[in-house]
Amino acid sequence: MAGDTGMAGKVALLLWAQILSLAGAKSTQLLVEPPWTPAVLWDRVTLTCQGSGTAGATTWYKDGRRWRQEGPNSFTVTESGTYTCHRPGSGISLLVVVSNEPLVLQVSAGALLEGDTVTLRCRSRQDNPVTRVQFYKDEKDLRGSLRGTELSLSPLELHNSGTYRCGGWVAPGTSLSAAVTVIVHGVPLSGVSLSVQPPGGQVAVGDHLVLSCTVAMGTGPLSFSWHWGGLGTPLSTGPRLEFRHVGYNDSGQYQCRVSDGDNVVESPTLNVTVLDQGNWDHLAPGVPTQDIQAMRP
């Protein structure tokens, strides 16, 4: 079990490396082709080291020991083990595991986000036949998963995070794979914007005003806060800010801030102008007062 725990930790590290890459972190990345985690030796795996520094400046480590210095950026793996690489200027990558175990559970490489589809596949060494496959999550049987060697999780949800294994019959007996840790992350926040009713943010004193905050991408739970004039203290919370009767002091710049618990994204500011009757007459010269009233929201 200690070895299985180590394998799970290594796989979790690789997935975290992929998350760092998605977020644009300036770190050395170790890419795997075919894109499965853990990689298996019989797939003729190619490892590619990406990071700062000149070509040929890559240092490779295998099983925690320096293996190749000033080596190539890419090579085909011929031995199982754990691999990392180092590039001057961006440091050392996280671990990639290349397995040659009798039975291996693989998960699609890359960042796993809510709403995606992910496939877990149970494979025997050299792709020898494996039958009576059973999948496990957090050491519990996933009932009804005896129909093949693959398990599809779609759409991914946060509760799908956990430790997975597979077991099956591989001649001359049954085998159990090492554990693979699956971490499902929320979709990063982006595209926070404001809208206002009435359009344009110009409203007569005493009238109704509604500001709405929307998020183009991002999974929850999300929290919203409203800010006026650049002040840190929030005016209100929730995706809407409503004034039933605006006053002159409500004029100014408004902003919405959205948090997913890890990150905060701010909307552009929106300017609200509260006008009195004279302002409306000036904006619509020659228009009868009753028609000006009708123009108001």
Side-chain angles (χ1 to χ4, degrees):
M1 285 296 289
D4 292 344
T5 302
M7 174 72 78
K10 293 166 185 174
V11 172
L13 284 175
L14 176 60
L15 292 177
W16 180 241
Q18 298 289 349
I19 290 290
L20 290 178
S21 177
L22 181 75
K26 295 181 180 179
S27 59
T28 300
Q29 303 297 322
L30 185 48
L31 307 182
V32 187
E33 184 61 39
W36 291 88
T37 303
V40 291
L41 187 61
W42 60 90
D43 273 348
R44 288 185 54 83
V45 174
T46 299
L47 299 182
T48 301
C49 190
Q50 292 186 349
S52 302
T54 59
T58 302
T59 300
W60 291 93
Y61 296 84
K62 181 178 182 293
D63 300 327
R65 297 181 179 180
R66 183 178 294 170
W67 184 55
R68 287 186 181 181
Q69 192 164 5
E70 296 183 356
N73 295 337
S74 180
F75 73 97
T76 299
V77 178
T78 58
E79 298 177 358
S80 61
T82 60
Y83 293 84
T84 57
C85 67
H86 179 274
R87 293 292 297 270
S90 54
I92 195 164
S93 73
L94 295 179
L95 291 171
V96 166
V97 179
V98 180
S99 176
N100 197 33
E101 296 298 313
L103 195 66
V104 177
L105 180 63
Q106 292 183 304
V107 61
S108 307
L112 304 181
L113 302 177
E114 281 188 273
D116 287 348
T117 296
V118 67
T119 298
L120 286 77
R121 60 184 190 177
C122 193
R123 301 176 66 190
S124 62
R125 184 187 293 147
Q126 300 296 334
D127 286 330
N128 290 322
V130 53
T131 57
R132 289 185 279 176
V133 174
Q134 180 68 46
F135 293 93
Y136 304 87
K137 179 178 183 288
D138 300 329
E139 307 304 332
K140 296 179 181 179
D141 287 2
L142 293 176
R143 300 295 180 184
S145 58
L146 292 169
R147 300 176 182 175
T149 60
E150 295 187 351
L151 174 67
S152 179
L153 303 176
S154 176
L156 274 179
E157 299 179 13
L158 291 178
H159 69 77
N160 292 133
S161 295
T163 302
Y164 291 79
R165 298 177 186 267
C166 71
W169 175 270
V170 182
T174 58
S175 292
L176 184 67
S177 75
V180 172
T181 299
V182 171
I183 303 174
V184 181
H185 295 266
V187 177
L189 282 172
S190 64
V192 177
S193 61
L194 293 185
S195 60
V196 60
Q197 286 293 335
Q202 292 188 333
V203 59
V205 65
D207 279 352
H208 189 211
L209 174 71
V210 177
L211 303 176
S212 299
C213 186
T214 57
V215 178
M217 294 185 64
T219 52
L222 303 179
S223 61
F224 298 78
S225 63
W226 291 92
H227 302 266
W228 177 85
L231 297 178
T233 303
L235 293 172
S236 181
T237 58
R240 283 164 50 97
L241 178 63
E242 184 173 3
F243 297 85
R244 296 192 178 277
H245 304 284
V246 295
Y248 294 115
N249 291 336
D250 295 321
S251 291
Q253 292 188 327
Y254 289 81
Q255 186 179 58
C256 173
R257 297 175 188 172
V258 185
S259 172
D260 60 5
D262 295 319
N263 302 291
V264 176
V265 177
E266 298 179 342
S267 73
T269 58
L270 188 148
N271 191 60
V272 169
T273 303
V274 179
L275 305 169
D276 61 19
Q277 179 65 51
N279 293 133
W280 280 92
D281 292 339
H282 176 70
L283 290 172
V287 178
T289 300
Q290 61 270 26
D291 292 340
I292 294 175
Q293 295 289 342
M295 290 167 60
R296 297 181 179 180

